[in-house]
């Protein structure tokens, strides 16, 4: 070890003591700002430690104090910009970047020193100077920054070239007028041999000009190969660029492949061992060849596209979750499922093997932190919307843990996303997996509902209120998922209906169940009844017993207003259906319908019902009364002689069957209960306090005739009845039960807009997600371009790698002899050894040789002789073709003779050209 000089010992000891005291101090430094004069003395000190301390205090003061109160110490700080200490230079550059925009005139004083640092011997110092100059944000020096980037792009050190690539977006934003120059530098850096330089250039291109795909043609293959070696942020930018490039340059091409069922091949292969058995097996195979055949439509990938797909597959092992999602986005955008068409025209789709390989890494992200797991689930849902069968074998990964806010349990948002995933996978699962999913949905709704009871105002807690609201949303998601499961699978529909009915009503002997009666959870009942109503609308005739059970629950069990309104609406829709049940009354509405009897019971407590229930009771009375009028008109029409033929027609059984109102045993119109009930309800509504309810009743009074008018002019009700039938008995569309995540299906996988739309949907349901898509996206969002059509793609030869220029370019140096040989001055080793032969090999692509440019007269003569030779050759070929058609035996002899003649002509022409040309040295 070299001894320390005695003169430096006190200074070194002092510096080490100050540094050790600063680093070993346990207390925080005083935050009180120091006077500007004291800071200036520290900056002008001769000791490096004091200068460093002063720079630290100045930077800390500029970050804490508002900009207008910060002391202007920039000129004093810039005095240390040429310090040999790298730590001092870094701090000076940091303060310069923070203060340059506020004091641009003073910042210009440092440009000359930074330019000198661009020529320093240390590459780290050159890169630091380039980063500082590009980050000054002073528009006056935009051209100087562009020149610095040009110098850095050709630097020998890859560190400086990487800094030059990262400086291009800053210079682009500083002055967009230099775009043409910067694009040239960018194209040079994209073809760099070093992967961390090319990755930085890809990030610069993604921020400046992501649509300039012409810059990627020559470096496409090199970027695809370097993809695995880049850092994570460069991989994200490169994947985004190459995905957009591939959709614009590689059209989708498919081919039809005829395949045979593996079971059929095995059966034929196992038939027989001896010769006779083999012959019989072959005959059977030929006779039954079409029974087990099927056609598969598969994608035909371009070799360059296949290179990108295989290069990205290794990135699925990345530790960065964003890289895994970016690879999934690449496969979703560039691969298509293969379609299989069987002999009976049944189509089946299977995802590509590339997309299948991403499912495992995507599911592994769910074991990460809460935020990463939530974002991974949002993106998994978008994949499951199109390919739900890929997740069937991973059902247990989507079972809810909790939910709650503690450690080891799923948050409420994550639990809701998992339930939605289970609903998507349900149609493709096996029966035991479907049973597991239904049990999970039922248990989750019960667990979440037990903690979502009304909050006591005396013990109000904001956190408890927020958790209660999230639990209610989770219950809603679970019940709606049950409804989607019932619609997607006909085999499990009955079980889903039973589970929903179990949530609505409970047996009277189970006192522990609080889902019905006075202590019921209104949210569960209302949501379950809404889903039940949607399911019943899909097939009304098959769910008649369910409607009867719901009608019985109106007496004592169901007290939720929304639930009662849904049940009454369902009964009104079934007012004209023959239910064939014991206990149904026959009062002129169909034959055996419960709607009039339900209306009679509801009228008793009409005044105590909520407004939403009163509205549905009025609507039920109008529907029952309208069915009564239609049956009355049909009975009068059947009595007339003109209607005897129509009554006997098939299909008029129920419509032309005389109702109880027209039978001799039925009561007359004046004493019929349905007109009385209708009149009584409208009398009650007339004195109700709700303006909306009174207007709603007047609308039906205008549509339907007054019951008293039927005693005098029953025929006048024909027109009004037709209009009321059109309005009240019109077929109701079945409400859509699409997934809430389907509203965000238009967003690109992995984008922030997709995550924001999922968050809005989770807070406000599916309507919020649709509103977010229509309202717009987050600033900076860019959708993927449309895939190019066949025949409109760029020429594949543009992607041939050549001399890409710049230091470290992919093409390498070209020897001077090769360049001169291309123009015909010197023969190449592979040529015939003459100048004419060199011209022959290179002149086909260049058009003219070096001697042709000097002597155009000789060129014209040579072209004339060559054209004559071409005409003779074409004449010979035409003659040989005619002779081929006439005589097949003479064809071989004529071809051999023509080939010998052409060889002799070529040799003679080359000798003449060599004799006519004079060497350049003699000229």
């Amino acid at each position: 070890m070299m001894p320390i000089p005695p003169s430096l010992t006190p200074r070194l000891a002092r510096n080490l003591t100050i540094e050790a005291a600063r680093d070993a101090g346990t207390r925080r430094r005083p935050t009180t700002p120091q006077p500007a004069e004291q800071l200036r003395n520290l900056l002008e000190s001769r000791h490096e430690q004091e200068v460093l301390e002063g720079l630290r205090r100045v930077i800390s003061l500029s970050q804490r104090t508002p900009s207008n109160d910060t002391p202007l110490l920039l000129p004093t700080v810039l005095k240390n910009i040429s310090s040999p200490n790298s730590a001092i230079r870094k701090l000076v550059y940091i303060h310069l970047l923070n203060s340059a925009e506020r004091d641009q005139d003073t910042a210009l004083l440092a440009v000359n020193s930074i330019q000198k640092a661009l020529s320093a011997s240390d590459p780290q110092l050159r890169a630091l100077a380039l980063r500082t100059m590009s980050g000054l944000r002073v528009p006056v020096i935009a051209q100087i920054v562009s020149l610095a980037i040009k110098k850095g792009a050709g630097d020998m050190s890859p560190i400086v070239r990487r800094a030059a690539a990262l400086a291009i977006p800053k210079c682009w934003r500083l002055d967009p007028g230099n775009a043409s120059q910067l694009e040239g530098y960018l194209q040079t850096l994209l073809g760099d041999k070093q992967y961390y330089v090319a990755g930085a250039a890809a990030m610069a291109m993604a921020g400046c000009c992501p649509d300039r795909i012409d810059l990627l043609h020559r470096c496409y293959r090199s970027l695809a190969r370097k993809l695995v070696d880049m850092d994570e942020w460069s991989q994200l930018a490169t994947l985004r660029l190459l995905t957009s490039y591939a959709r614009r340059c590689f059209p989708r091409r498919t081919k039809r492949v005829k395949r045979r069922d593996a079971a059929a091949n095995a059966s034929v292969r196992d038939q027989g061992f001896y010769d006779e058995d083999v012959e019989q097996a072959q005959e059977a195979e030929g006779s039954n060849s079409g029974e087990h055949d099927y056609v598969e439509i598969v994608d035909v990938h371009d070799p360059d596209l296949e290179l990108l797909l295989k290069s990205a597959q290794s990135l699925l092992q990345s530790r960065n979750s964003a890289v895994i999602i970016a690879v999934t986005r690449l496969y979703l955008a560039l691969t298509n499922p293969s379609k299989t068409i069987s002999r009976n025209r049944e189509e089946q789709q299977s995802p590509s093997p590339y997309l299948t390989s991403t499912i495992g890494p995507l599911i592994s992200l769910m074991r990460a932190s809460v935020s990463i797991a939530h974002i991974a689930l949002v993106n998994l849902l978008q994949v499951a919307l199109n390919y739900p069968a890929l997740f069937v074998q991973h059902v247990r990964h989507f079972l809810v843990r909790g939910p709650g806010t503690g450690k080891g349990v799923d948050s409420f948002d994550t639990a809701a996303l998992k339930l939605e995933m289970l609903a998507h996978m349900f149609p493709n699962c096996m029966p035991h997996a479907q049973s597991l999913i239904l049990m999970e949905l039922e248990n989750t709704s019960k667990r979440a509902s037990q903690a979502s009871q009304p909050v006591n105002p005396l013990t109000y807690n904001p956190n408890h209120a927020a958790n209660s609201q999230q639990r209610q949303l989770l219950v809603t998601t679970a019940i709606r998922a049950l409804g989607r499961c019932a619609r997607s699978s006909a085999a499990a529909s009955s079980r889903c209906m039973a589970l929903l009915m179990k949530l609505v009503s409970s047996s009277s002997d189970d006192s522990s169940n609080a889902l019905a009666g006075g202590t019921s959870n209104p949210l569960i009942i209302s949501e379950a009844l809404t889903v039940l109503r949607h399911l019943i609308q899909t097939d009304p005739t098959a769910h008649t017993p369910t409607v009867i059970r719901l009608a019985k629950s109106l007496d004592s069990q169901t007290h939720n207003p929304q639930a009662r309104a849904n049940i009454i609406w369902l009964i009104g829709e079934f007012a004209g259906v023959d239910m064939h049940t014991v206990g149904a009354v026959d009062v002129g509405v169909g034959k055996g319908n419960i709607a009039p009897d339900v209306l009679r019971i509801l009228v008793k407590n009409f005044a105590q019902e909520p407004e939403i229930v009163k509205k549905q009771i009025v609507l039920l009375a109008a529907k029952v009364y309208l069915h009564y009028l239609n049956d009355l008109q049909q009975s009068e029409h059947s009595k007339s002689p003109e209607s005897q033929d129509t009554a006997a027609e098939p299909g008029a059984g129920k419509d032309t069957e005389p109702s109880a109102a027209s039978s001799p045993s039925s009561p007359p119109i004046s004493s019929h209960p349905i007109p009385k009930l209708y009149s009584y309800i409208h009398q009650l509504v007339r004195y109700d306090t709700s303006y909306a309810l009174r207007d709603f009743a007047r609308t039906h009074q205008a549509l339907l005739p007054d019951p008293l008018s039927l005693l005098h002019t029953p025929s006048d009700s024909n027109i009004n009845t037709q209009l009321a039938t059109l309005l009240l008995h019109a077929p109701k569309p079945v409400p859509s039960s699409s997934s809430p995540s389907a509203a965000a299906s238009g967003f690109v996988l992995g984008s922030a807009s997709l995550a924001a739309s999922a968050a809005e949907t989770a807070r406000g349901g599916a309507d919020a997600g649709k509103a977010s898509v229509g309202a717009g996206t987050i600033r900076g969002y860019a959708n993927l371009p449309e895939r190019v059509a066949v025949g409109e793609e760029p020429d594949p030869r543009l992607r041939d790698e050549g001399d890409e220029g710049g230091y470290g370019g992919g093409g390498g140096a070209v020897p001077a002899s090769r360049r001169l040989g291309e123009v015909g001055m010197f023969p190449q080793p592979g040529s015939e050894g003459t100048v004419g032969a060199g011209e022959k090999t290179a002149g086909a692509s260049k058009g003219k040789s070096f001697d042709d440019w000097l002597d155009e007269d000789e060129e014209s003569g040579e072209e004339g002789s060559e054209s004559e030779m071409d005409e003779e050759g074409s004449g010979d070929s035409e003659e040989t073709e005619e002779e081929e058609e006439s005589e097949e035996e003479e064809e071989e002899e004529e071809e051999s003779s023509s080939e010998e003649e052409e060889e002799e002509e070529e040799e003679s022409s080359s000798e003449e050209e060599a004799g006519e040309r004079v060497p350049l040295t003699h000229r």
Side-chain angles (χ1 to χ4, degrees), residues 359-540:
I359 303 304
L362 283 174
I363 292 179
S364 66
L365 297 179
M366 296 172 55
R367 295 191 291 268
S369 61
V370 177
S371 57
I372 294 179
H374 178 75
I375 297 299
L377 271 171
V378 171
N379 291 275
L380 276 170
L381 269 172
Q382 298 303 314
V383 181
L385 286 175
N386 300 321
Y387 306 100
L390 292 176
F391 302 92
V392 170
Q393 57 182 346
H394 306 286
V395 173
R396 296 188 178 274
H397 288 86
F398 298 98
L399 300 180
V400 179
R401 298 175 299 173
T405 56
K407 187 177 181 180
V409 298
D410 294 328
S411 63
F412 294 103
D413 295 338
T414 304
L417 293 175
K418 283 187 173 182
L419 296 180
E420 197 171 346
M421 279 291 300
L422 293 175
H424 282 298
M425 292 184 288
F426 185 82
N428 302 278
C429 291
M430 299 297 290
H432 67 278
Q434 289 183 350
S435 177
L436 178 64
I437 291 174
L438 293 179
M439 290 174 60
E440 181 68 16
L441 293 176
E442 182 184 9
N443 294 332
T444 303
S445 61
K446 289 182 178 180
R447 290 197 306 266
S449 63
Q450 290 174 359
S452 60
Q453 298 298 330
V455 181
N456 187 0
L458 300 178
T459 60
Y460 176 76
N461 188 357
N463 296 329
H464 177 73
N467 291 340
S468 178
Q469 184 179 6
Q470 289 178 337
R471 289 180 185 275
Q472 290 179 1
L473 292 176
L474 184 60
V475 172
T476 303
T477 304
I479 295 177
R480 291 178 180 177
L482 272 175
R484 288 197 299 272
C485 292
R487 285 193 177 188
S488 59
S489 177
S493 178
S494 58
R495 181 173 179 182
C496 293
M497 292 285 292
L499 289 176
L500 290 172
M501 288 297 299
K502 186 178 178 181
L503 291 173
V504 173
S505 60
S506 64
S507 58
S508 58
D509 57 348
D510 189 5
S511 60
S512 61
N513 191 352
L515 297 180
T519 60
S520 62
N521 192 320
L523 179 66
I524 291 182
I525 296 177
S526 61
E527 284 298 330
L529 281 174
T530 302
V531 174
L532 277 173
R533 179 171 61 86
H534 295 171
L535 294 176
I536 291 173
Q537 284 184 257
T538 57
D539 190 5

Side-chain angles (χ1 to χ4, degrees), residues 616-680:
Q616 293 301 324
I617 293 175
V618 173
L619 183 60
L620 175 62
K623 291 179 179 179
V624 171
Y625 182 53
L626 180 59
H627 278 292
Y628 168 78
L629 295 177
N630 290 336
D631 291 344
L632 184 62
Q633 291 177 0
Q634 290 177 4
S635 62
E636 293 178 354
H637 182 67
S638 61
K639 293 178 182 179
S640 60
E642 294 83 1
S643 62
Q644 297 298 327
D645 297 334
T646 59
E649 292 180 359
K654 188 176 70 174
D655 295 337
T656 59
E657 188 176 4
S659 62
S662 61
S663 60
S665 59
S666 60
I669 297 177
S670 58
S671 59
H672 203 281
I674 290 181
K676 291 182 177 181
L677 285 174
Y678 179 75
S679 301
Y680 178 66

